[in-house]
């Protein structure tokens, strides 16, 4: 009986829409729900390369000189002030006879995350109606198309094409690709919401683990005496990512309305913080819960992203010669050989950060299924305050290993915050519009991407200008970041279940097909979701697991070399 119902659902869905439509991807009897997480990972591992784009900065900063076989000055000349650098960047947008600087290229990184948050907020509601397959295909077109435009920009030395191609168009792809699996996975894993979203969002953190070493291999393969090999690398990455992202998009399926895992029933005693109701997208931002969770995410990310962006120079400046067992040498006294050694150690520190960032996304999100989302965020804030509060003392004792361990915990909670928040939203607002609500919440990420680095970089430059010894420059910064986490703790404490006046009634909750509510209202498994690690699931998981394992091994070798 249930198989017949599911078959009818699938037949009706196919007749009601095109190949990318939401109706076309309703699962039928025999579908294995464990095929959905690798589909999400396929997209997130590709767009996660946004974190690794700095691998291109150095080659791109010498592309003109390489082409003509001579040293070429930067477009900004010897500018040192922010205003002069900005004027130089405006010149660099269209100039073809001068080199780009890291300042010029770094705006692409800023655009990535500003546009990601903006596009996720703008099109989150559309995604709920269009479905994850269409969103995934559009994400592939934007992200990979942006890489192709950037390849032309590198080939013709037009910086504005990189900004528009990867920064803006690619940023839209980031937003659509990032949120496309969220509501889908929450619906497929009502019994393990945190674990499911943690698996997917782990992929975004892991994208650079694969992309950075792969990009280096490709650039070394394509470089010639007159080319740094970047535009060719963009083309190959764009084509490869497109294949993976399209495969992921077409791997998405949605459960029929009323589906639940076979043998699973919601707990008889529901946790107070997990609702059985749903809140409409148009009302979610009117509730205090939305803005409290927004603040929780923003403060957690702000406290982590600024330090992650300054990880290598922070370690070098704070410990100086203690990094290579010569504490008598100050950072400002490094010889060229010591600078090289310190940079290598700093690079390994960044790699270690990345591993914990990735692992934390899965660990903390999975743990939240057992202890609850609110408790998990309390752990982030309490542990984070402790780590930042003891950091100056650890630095004073030159306890490099313990200091690094404290910041690895911070990195794990930075990633864990991203992975846990979709499940937090599903607990508070229900699953019907969680993808769209999550999209709007990501404006907190865009805000934190400005707030965190501004706090860290402003205080760093100010304290250096005041003559503070380099090994104490970050002391005040650590305390300020701890204060952000204290504020986050209190915001999290204020979160309560949404008032009943915002709950949707049953008729509004029902998904629509061609403007009409679906008829099925019963609940059951319908023969869908079973299978575990069968042959298809093994192939799908291998397709994403093998590249990720390769990337982890490459970065681990760099850390421990």
């Amino acid at each position: 009986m249930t198989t017949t119902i599911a078959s009818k659902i699938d037949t009706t869905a196919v007749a009601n829409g095109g190949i990318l439509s939401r109706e076309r991807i309703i699962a039928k009897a025999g579908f294995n729900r464990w095929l959905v997480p690798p589909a999400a990972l396929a997209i997130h591992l590709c767009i996660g390369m946004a974190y690794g784009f700095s691998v291109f900065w150095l080659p791109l900063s010498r592309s003109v000189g390489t082409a003509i076989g001579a040293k070429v000055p930067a477009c900004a000349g010897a500018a040192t002030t922010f205003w002069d650098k900005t004027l130089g960047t405006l010149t660099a947008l269209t100039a073809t006879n001068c080199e780009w600087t890291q300042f010029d290229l770094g705006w692409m990184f800023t655009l990535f995350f500003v546009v990601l948050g903006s596009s996720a907020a703008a099109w989150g509601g559309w995604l709920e109606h269009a479905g994850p397959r269409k969103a995934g295909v559009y994400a592939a077109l934007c992200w990979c198309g942006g890489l192709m435009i950037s390849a032309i920009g590198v080939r013709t030395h037009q910086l504005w094409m990189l900004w528009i191609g990867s920064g803006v168009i690619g940023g839209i792809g980031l937003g659509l690709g990032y949120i496309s699996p969220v509501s889908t996975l929450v619906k497929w894993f009502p019994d393990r919401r945190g674990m499911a979203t943690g698996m997917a969002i782990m992929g975004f953190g892991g994208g650079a683990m694969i992309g950075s070493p792969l990009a280096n291999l490709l650039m070394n393969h394509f470089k010639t005496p007159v080319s740094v090999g970047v535009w060719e690398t963009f083309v190959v990455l764009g084509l490869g990512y497109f294949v993976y992202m399209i495969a992921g998009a077409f791997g998405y399926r949605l459960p029929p309305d009323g589906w639940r895992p076979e043998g699973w029933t919601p707990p008889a005693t529901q946790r107070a913080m997990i609702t059985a109701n749903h809140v409409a997208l148009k009302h979610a931002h009117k509730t205090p819960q939305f803005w409290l969770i927004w603040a929780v995410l923003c403060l957690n990310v702000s406290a982590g992203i600024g330090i992650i962006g300054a990880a290598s120079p922070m370690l070098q400046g704070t410990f100086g010669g203690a990094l290579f067992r010569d504490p008598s040498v100050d950072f400002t006294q490094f010889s060229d050989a010591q600078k090289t050694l310190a940079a290598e150690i700093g690079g390994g520190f960044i790699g270690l950060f990345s591993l914990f960032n990735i692992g934390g996304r899965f660990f903390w999100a999975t743990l939240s299924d057992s202890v609850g989302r609110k408790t998990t965020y309390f752990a982030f804030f309490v542990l984070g305050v402790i780590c930042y509060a003891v950091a100056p003392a650890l630095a004073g004792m030159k306890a490099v290993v313990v200091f690094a361990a404290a910041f690895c915990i911070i990195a794990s909670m930075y990633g864990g915050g991203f992975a846990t928040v979709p499940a937090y939203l599903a607990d508070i607002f229900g699953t019907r519009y969680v993808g769209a609500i999550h999209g709007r919440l990501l404006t907190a990420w865009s805000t934190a991407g400005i707030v965190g680095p501004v706090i860290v970089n402003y205080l760093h430059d100010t304290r250096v200008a005041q003559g503070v010894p380099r090994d104490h420059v970050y002391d005040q910064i650590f305390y300020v970041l701890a204060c952000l986490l204290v504020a986050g703790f209190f915001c999290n404490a204020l979160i309560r279940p949404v008032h009943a006046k915002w709950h949707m009634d049953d008729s509004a909750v029902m998904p629509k097909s061609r403007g009409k509510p679906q008829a099925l209202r019963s609940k059951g498994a319908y023969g869908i979701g079973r299978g575990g690690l069968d042959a298809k699931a093994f192939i799908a998981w291998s397709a994403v697991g093998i590249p990720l394992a390769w990337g982890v091994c490459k970065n681990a070798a760099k850390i421990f070399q």
Side-chain angles (χ1 to χ4, degrees):
M1 177 62 180
T2 55
T3 302
T4 302
I5 293 173
S7 299
K8 287 181 178 179
I9 294 169
D10 188 66
T11 302
T12 303
V14 171
N16 280 341
I19 194 170
L20 298 182
S21 69
R22 180 187 178 91
E23 294 84 358
R24 190 67 177 260
I25 61 174
I26 303 297
K28 59 182 179 181
F31 180 75
N32 182 356
R33 66 173 176 166
W34 288 96
L35 290 170
V36 181
L41 275 166
I43 291 179
H44 271 227
L45 287 171
C46 294
I47 62 176
M49 178 54 187
Y51 270 134
F53 246 65
S54 60
V55 73
F56 299 117
W57 294 170
L58 182 59
L60 287 175
S61 69
R62 58 190 185 209
S63 57
V64 176
T66 300
I68 65 174
K71 189 173 182 179
V72 175
C75 298
T80 56
T81 67
F82 179 84
W83 177 247
D84 288 341
K85 286 183 178 180
T86 302
L87 290 177
T89 297
L90 294 175
T91 301
L93 285 173
T94 56
T96 59
N97 60 347
C98 54
E99 298 283 20
W100 299 327
T101 65
Q102 183 172 319
F103 184 82
D104 303 330
L105 295 162
W107 285 102
M108 289 172 60
F109 193 79
T110 301
L111 286 169
F112 278 151
F113 297 107
V114 171
V115 177
L116 183 157
S118 302
S119 59
W123 286 298
W126 164 83
L127 184 150
E128 291 293 341
H129 297 290
R133 175 180 288 182
K134 183 176 288 187
V137 169
Y138 287 179
L141 291 170
C142 290
W143 177 242
C144 301
L147 283 171
M148 295 303 179
I149 294 171
S150 292
I152 298 172
V154 174
R155 186 74 177 84
T156 58
H157 203 71
Q158 292 293 303
L159 181 62
W160 68 270
M161 295 186 74
L162 276 74
W163 283 19
I164 297 297
S166 289
V168 177
I169 298 174
I172 293 172
L174 289 177
L176 292 175
Y178 190 87
I179 64 174
S180 64
V182 171
S183 63
T184 306
L185 287 167
V186 167
K187 291 180 177 71
W188 275 116
F189 292 88
D191 50 336
R192 305 176 186 178
R193 290 175 179 174
M195 181 206 71
T197 56
M199 281 190 293
I201 293 177
M202 176 182 70
F204 191 80
M209 300 285 286
I210 301 170
S212 294
L214 179 59
N216 274 320
L217 288 174
L218 290 171
M219 286 188 290
N220 289 331
H221 175 74
F222 287 118
K223 71 180 180 181
T224 67
V226 294
S227 172
V228 292
V230 173
W231 77 264
E232 299 95 334
T233 298
F234 278 168
V235 170
V236 173
L237 288 177
L239 292 173
Y241 285 158
F242 186 76
V243 171
Y244 255 76
M245 292 179 74
I246 291 296
F250 276 81
Y252 283 143
R253 294 292 186 275
L254 290 169
D257 180 60
W259 177 87
R260 62 175 47 163
E262 185 173 0
W264 177 82
T265 55
T269 304
Q270 190 81 336
R271 286 182 180 174
M273 292 299 295
I274 300 179
T275 184
N277 299 289
H278 305 271
V279 177
L281 174 63
K282 63 183 178 181
H283 295 314
H285 69 279
K286 299 175 185 177
T287 67
Q289 286 82 1
F290 177 87
W291 294 107
L292 285 170
I293 297 176
W294 190 98
V296 162
L297 181 65
C298 184
L299 290 165
N300 186 60
V301 174
S302 295
I305 197 168
I307 284 295
I308 287 175
S312 180
M314 175 190 71
L315 192 73
Q316 295 178 55
T318 300
F319 287 96
L323 291 176
F324 37 83
R325 300 183 180 181
D326 188 359
S328 63
V329 180
D330 184 71
F331 171 75
T332 57
Q333 301 170 336
F334 281 178
S335 65
D336 289 343
Q338 289 171 331
K339 288 179 181 178
T340 301
L341 179 58
E344 290 176 356
I345 295 172
F349 187 48
I350 293 173
L352 198 61
F353 253 42
S354 298
L355 288 175
F356 275 83
N357 179 9
I358 296 166
R361 292 170 188 248
F362 182 73
F363 171 79
W364 289 109
T366 301
L367 180 66
S368 74
D369 286 330
S370 301
V371 302
R373 257 57 79 170
K374 190 171 183 177
T375 301
T376 301
Y377 267 96
F378 276 140
F380 293 163
F381 295 128
V382 172
L383 289 175
V385 169
I386 293 172
C387 288
Y388 277 127
V390 302
L394 294 175
M397 293 186 292
K398 303 301 181 185
V400 180
V401 174
V402 182
F403 182 91
F407 280 87
C408 284
I409 293 173
I410 289 171
S412 79
M413 296 187 295
Y414 168 81
F418 284 119
T420 305
V421 81
Y424 206 167
L425 292 172
D427 291 350
I428 299 296
F429 298 103
T431 60
R432 180 68 182 92
Y433 289 103
V434 66
I437 296 169
H438 182 230
R440 291 188 176 179
L441 192 84
L442 289 180
T443 53
W445 187 1
S446 299
T447 304
I450 297 172
V451 172
V454 165
I455 289 174
V456 172
N457 295 333
Y458 174 77
L459 288 176
H460 173 271
D461 291 352
T462 300
R463 288 172 64 76
V464 169
Q466 291 171 346
V468 175
R470 288 303 182 97
D471 57 343
H472 290 287
V473 164
Y474 281 90
D475 291 1
Q476 186 184 70
I477 296 173
F478 296 150
Y479 294 136
V480 171
L481 296 179
C483 289
L484 294 181
L485 294 177
V486 170
F489 178 94
F490 286 109
C491 289
N492 191 50
L494 292 172
I495 297 173
R496 298 288 187 274
V498 172
H499 193 280
K501 70 178 181 179
W502 299 113
H503 294 164
M504 300 169 65
D505 58 40
D506 290 342
S507 61
V509 172
M510 295 297 293
K512 294 185 177 181
S513 176
R514 297 278 177 166
K516 299 179 181 179
Q518 291 181 8
L520 183 64
R521 292 176 181 269
S522 62
K523 295 184 181 295
Y526 315 129
I528 301 170
R530 293 177 295 184
L533 192 63
D534 58 16
K536 287 183 179 179
F538 179 80
I539 293 170
W541 279 98
S542 296
V544 295
I546 291 173
L548 183 57
W550 175 83
V552 170
C553 290
K554 282 286 185 181
N555 283 274
K558 179 180 177 181
I559 294 169
F560 298 110
Q561 65 182 2

